[in-house]
Amino acid sequence: MGTRTIRNERFGKIGSFCAALALVFSSLIPSQALAWGGYGHRTTGEIALANVKPETRRAIAQLLEYEKQLGTPECRLATLADATVWPDCVRRTRWRWGYTAAWHYRTTPICEAYEPWKNCSGGNCVTAQIERSQRLLADESLPAHIRLEALAFMVHFVGDIHQPLHSGDKSDRGGNDRDTAYGIIPYMNLHWIWDGPLAERAISSTQRPIARRYSMDELAELGASRDDWGTAADWGRESWQAARDFVYPNAFDTDPCASDLPNETALTQEDIVAAIPLVQRRIRQAGLRMAAMLDQAFEPGALPEPERRR
């Protein structure tokens, strides 16, 4: 199948309608900087809260009581769902939180070998910050508000790393530079679509509630069992592979590594429907692995030492 491009004639007769519709629709979608968007991130937190141990749920509630000590009244942190979006909210105050921008992603070009620690100098990438935040959260010697901040960063970044375009791209800033229509709605980009409308459709179209208690068999099938839920580097590799094997081929109907890709494309209804199972799986995995990390962080004693990296 040939590579698709957005042609003027496609929207010629309904251009004004589409432009107006896009304006309305874009006002409902979170900023493209938010992996999974606010709705998707909050859903991962709801999944996690439904699957943590009761004692973990109580410990989270106790930390949340220290919200005011963070000094971010413009960004609420009253629930675990709030925590999943708090790091994106505080980033708007660039003079205070701008240094955290690089923590939200770590992309490897999809046509190169995956390297989980490349371009992560000083731990300034999502892979390293997930591990760092969990260790801070688990350290009971730290002040409660420091641990609460770490909790928010950890749960947010677990969501980020499960979004394929936060781990794999093709020299386009995670799809941000690829103008992409979402069905008949133009003027979006590939990253934005995966963050917002595609995630929202995937969450709202599940046969069973996506935020619920999952069985042991489901945990095992999703790679989120309590005995073997992987590492941040593993999750980044999964997302990079999803970007390489599905996201770009789905959007451009071609092998993304065989040639250059156009700067414009469109997701058809068939493309959107085909993407739903992958999006649902990644959001489920993010929530369930988040639950496992929270349970581990609140267990008594120090966390196991991480493996030494080369």
Side-chain angles (χ1 to χ4, degrees):
M1 196 182 307
T3 300
R4 292 160 294 180
T5 58
I6 304 174
R7 297 183 175 86
N8 291 333
E9 59 268 24
R10 177 174 180 179
F11 302 104
K13 295 182 180 180
I14 57 173
S16 298
F17 168 76
C18 288
L21 185 59
L23 181 61
V24 173
F25 194 80
S26 65
S27 69
L28 302 176
I29 303 173
S31 165
Q32 64 192 39
L34 311 182
W36 298 131
Y39 184 45
H41 267 301
R42 287 181 176 275
T43 300
T44 64
E46 292 168 0
I47 294 170
L49 198 62
N51 287 274
V52 294
K53 299 175 181 177
E55 52 268 36
T56 298
R57 193 175 297 111
R58 290 192 293 270
I60 292 170
Q62 290 173 357
L63 277 187
L64 290 168
E65 294 177 1
Y66 293 86
E67 173 192 13
K68 290 184 179 180
Q69 293 190 23
L70 292 177
T72 58
E74 71 283 6
C75 300
R76 291 302 311 276
L77 192 47
T79 67
L80 187 63
D82 288 344
T84 64
V85 296
W86 183 85
D88 274 329
C89 181
V90 296
R91 281 174 62 191
R92 298 167 190 163
T93 309
R94 295 188 178 183
W95 60 266
R96 181 179 177 189
W97 299 100
Y99 69 94
T100 67
W103 295 0
H104 294 249
Y105 62 92
R106 202 221 58 81
T107 53
T108 293
I110 56 173
C111 301
E112 299 178 8
Y114 178 75
E115 297 182 50
W117 302 108
K118 187 177 180 180
N119 301 324
C120 192
S121 177
N124 287 299
C125 74
V126 68
T127 320
Q129 288 302 319
I130 289 172
E131 294 185 358
R132 172 181 175 271
S133 297
Q134 190 196 27
R135 300 196 77 81
L136 293 175
L137 174 61
D139 189 346
E140 296 180 357
S141 70
L142 294 174
H145 72 283
I146 299 297
R147 296 179 67 208
L148 176 57
E149 180 183 306
L151 166 70
F153 278 122
M154 188 192 84
V155 296
H156 178 83
F157 294 148
V158 171
D160 278 350
I161 203 170
H162 281 82
Q163 207 270 51
L165 292 172
H166 276 241
S167 288
D169 73 351
K170 192 173 182 186
S171 301
D172 54 13
R173 297 189 306 121
N176 277 298
D177 295 334
R178 305 285 180 182
D179 293 337
T180 306
Y182 183 70
I184 66 168
I185 306 173
Y187 314 128
M188 297 189 181
N189 66 59
L190 190 60
H191 190 111
W192 191 1
I193 288 170
W194 273 79
D195 279 357
L198 193 54
E200 291 174 15
R201 179 164 175 177
I203 293 166
S204 62
S205 62
T206 55
Q207 293 183 348
R208 299 178 62 187
I210 197 168
R212 57 178 171 81
R213 185 79 179 180
Y214 283 75
S215 69
M216 298 298 291
D217 288 343
E218 288 174 313
L219 293 176
E221 192 279 325
L222 289 164
S225 69
R226 298 307 165 132
D227 298 325
D228 185 18
W229 37 274
T231 66
D234 297 329
W235 309 337
R237 182 185 298 276
E238 291 171 351
S239 284
W240 166 82
Q241 186 170 348
R244 182 195 67 188
D245 295 346
F246 182 85
V247 176
Y248 282 93
N250 174 259
F252 293 95
D253 286 335
T254 189
D255 179 353
C257 297
S259 61
D260 293 336
L261 297 176
N263 291 328
E264 297 180 336
T265 190
L267 295 187
T268 66
Q269 181 65 17
E270 291 75 16
D271 298 328
I272 294 166
V273 171
I276 295 301
L278 173 60
V279 180
Q280 291 172 341
R281 181 177 181 84
R282 295 307 282 164
I283 289 174
R284 287 189 177 104
Q285 287 177 319
L288 295 170
R289 290 164 170 172
M290 186 188 301
M293 290 195 77
L294 288 165
D295 280 343
Q296 185 184 53
F298 285 110
E299 288 177 353
L303 288 177
E305 287 297 317
E307 294 183 7
R308 188 179 300 275
R309 304 185 196 113
R310 293 182 180 179

